[in-house]
Amino acid sequence: MASSPVPAALRAPFEGRTWRAFLFTLVGLPLSVAAFSLAVALTSTGVGLLITFLGVPVLAAALVVCRGFGAVERARVRGLLGANVAAPEPVRGRTGGPFSWMAAMLRSGASWRHLLYALVHFPWAVFSFCVSLTVFSAGWGLFTYPLWRWVFPAYLSQDGIQLYGDGNRALYVDSPFEVGVACGVGLLMVLAWAQVVRGLAAVDRVLVAGLLGPGRLAERVTELESDRGVAVDTAAADLRRIERDLHDGPQARLASLAMDLGLAKETLARDPEAAAVLVDEAHGEVKLALRELRELARGIHPAVLTDRGLDAALSAVAARCAVPVSVTVELPGRPVAAIEGLAYVTVTELLGNVTRHAGARRASVDVWRSEGRLMLQVRDDGVGGADPARGRGLAGLAERLRAVDGVLAVDSPEGGPTTVTAELPWRA
């Protein structure tokens, strides 16, 4: 997209973003006055009535009103400033009754943050309204002064804007030079007005996101629920893959083995040589089935990983890889089995991608610990172009890592080389 020849500072006063921010500050004052007035009146009444039972429902009503204004503010920020602030968690009573609901409302931290917003935003709304409107009026008034200067002699019987005056003398902006200077000052104020309005709107965005959005604990709970869903889906997909591999590989061979042994048993008495051939074929099927079972076990959780740890397990994977792979593992100990197993699966899948897609001549695997994190890095000198958005392999691996607070970063420019870094929590 070609950039505009007009500098951004000169475009700012005429852009829709600036005028939406200006409208935001203008509309914010009456809303803030209403929210502040209701919040103070209801809260003070509720606190005063706490000596009786009536104070509890009044305080709960105050918080409900503040949450209602909070919903309006989030919609206003979304519509005028383009910032999408999520709603906080809803209030639910334990039993569903009115008293349980009022207790939950009074215990809700999000509700009290809405009350704090109503109190804090009022002085800020007054300040931003006055500043933005004053700079707007003065700036645009002076900038367009040559267009409406005729109003003064026509209707006010004076030569122009009066800068000074007493009973004996008056000073007006009426000469062409003075009018030009006034227009230039107005232009500077208009340019400053655009930046001022945007800055005031940015503060409002911070206030809304910090006080009217979900709390950090609620966000963490939502994130963990999402990660739990990913973990469950991943486990189900792994189970389906194992079932499919067993059905298509060892199970089919064992079924063929059973048929061969049955035929050998039937032909043993009348044709021992044919039975020997069938037994020999069955022996070959057994060896193939055992090899497939070993390969399947290595992909799940090999015995060498349990017995000797990541260094030996990854070295075994590298030895089976079609591309020469160097492995360097520098760990002060062993992480928990779940993290160790996930690290093994991650490196195994990444080396599988190197073999199948990279066209590399060599690769390397580095594993180390850094500030409470288990770091894995797989490099290759292949053709590059790996992108998690293009396929399910890297994207699925990234989701699996996110389920345990892990991260997958891919650096793979076209032409290579490719570096994939995985980060897992270290739990000893």
Side-chain angles (χ1 to χ4, degrees), residues 75-143:
R76 201 162 62 94
V77 167
R78 182 170 55 252
L80 294 177
L81 302 184
N84 190 13
V85 179
E89 63 280 5
V91 176
R92 297 186 181 92
R94 294 181 179 177
T95 63
F99 297 107
S100 175
W101 176 82
M102 284 189 290
M105 180 64 70
L106 294 177
R107 288 195 305 266
S108 170
S111 300
W112 290 103
R113 289 199 306 273
H114 280 67
L115 173 61
L116 178 61
Y117 177 85
L119 301 179
V120 170
H121 188 257
F122 172 67
W124 171 252
V126 173
F127 172 79
S128 59
F129 179 89
C130 295
V131 170
S132 61
L133 187 60
T134 301
V135 178
F136 168 82
S137 303
W140 284 100
L142 290 176
F143 181 51

Side-chain angles (χ1 to χ4, degrees), residues 154-223:
Y155 295 100
L156 301 178
S157 299
Q158 63 185 49
D159 296 329
I161 297 175
Q162 183 175 350
L163 297 180
Y164 169 79
D166 54 22
N168 300 320
R169 184 166 175 258
L171 179 61
Y172 299 98
V173 180
D174 53 359
S175 69
F177 174 76
E178 292 171 344
V179 171
V181 170
C183 183
V185 172
L187 175 60
L188 294 178
M189 293 186 69
V190 166
L191 298 177
W193 164 78
Q195 304 306 319
V196 167
V197 167
R198 291 183 179 186
L200 296 174
V203 175
D204 275 291
R205 278 197 300 267
V206 172
L207 286 175
V208 171
L211 295 177
L212 301 184
R216 292 183 179 179
L217 180 60
E219 290 180 344
R220 183 58 177 161
V221 169
T222 302
E223 181 182 350

Side-chain angles (χ1 to χ4, degrees), residues 227 305 310 314 331 334-348 350 366-378 396-409 420-428:
D227 291 344
L305 178 62
L310 275 174
L314 295 181
L331 296 176
R334 294 183 62 176
V336 295
I339 298 299
E340 194 174 54
L342 184 54
Y344 173 83
V345 171
T346 300
V347 174
T348 301
L350 292 176
D366 295 291
V367 182
W368 72 97
R369 179 185 174 183
S370 176
E371 297 180 357
R373 306 289 284 181
L374 175 61
M375 309 295 296
L376 315 169
Q377 193 169 77
V378 178
L397 191 58
E399 288 183 357
R400 184 178 297 187
L401 294 178
R402 278 198 298 270
V404 294
D405 287 339
V407 178
L408 185 73
V420 181
T421 304
E423 201 177 307
L424 292 166
W426 176 271
R427 295 166 188 160

Side-chain angles (χ1 to χ4, degrees), residues 156-323:
L156 301 178
S157 299
Q158 63 185 49
D159 296 329
I161 297 175
Q162 183 175 350
L163 297 180
Y164 169 79
D166 54 22
N168 300 320
R169 184 166 175 258
L171 179 61
Y172 299 98
V173 180
D174 53 359
S175 69
F177 174 76
E178 292 171 344
V179 171
V181 170
C183 183
V185 172
L187 175 60
L188 294 178
M189 293 186 69
V190 166
L191 298 177
W193 164 78
Q195 304 306 319
V196 167
V197 167
R198 291 183 179 186
L200 296 174
V203 175
D204 275 291
R205 278 197 300 267
V206 172
L207 286 175
V208 171
L211 295 177
L212 301 184
R216 292 183 179 179
L217 180 60
E219 290 180 344
R220 183 58 177 161
V221 169
T222 302
E223 181 182 350
L224 290 176
E225 288 177 348
S226 175
D227 291 344
R228 181 182 62 184
V230 171
V232 171
D233 293 341
T234 301
D238 289 340
L239 180 60
R240 290 192 297 271
R241 177 180 58 82
I242 294 170
E243 291 175 345
R244 183 179 64 252
D245 291 344
L246 285 173
H247 180 270
D248 297 342
Q251 182 177 339
R253 294 197 180 278
L254 290 175
S256 176
L257 171 64
M259 293 176 61
D260 290 343
L261 290 176
L263 291 174
K265 181 180 177 181
E266 293 176 357
T267 60
L268 180 61
R270 65 175 185 272
D271 191 353
E273 292 183 359
V277 172
L278 290 174
V279 171
D280 186 63
E281 292 178 355
H283 182 252
E285 291 291 333
V286 169
K287 291 192 291 185
L288 288 175
L290 288 175
R291 187 173 66 186
E292 290 177 353
L293 286 173
R294 281 195 297 268
E295 292 295 331
L296 183 59
R298 287 195 191 104
I300 301 172
H301 196 95
V304 66
L305 178 62
T306 303
D307 297 337
R308 299 172 57 189
L310 275 174
D311 194 355
L314 295 181
S315 297
V317 173
R320 298 193 302 269
C321 188
V323 178

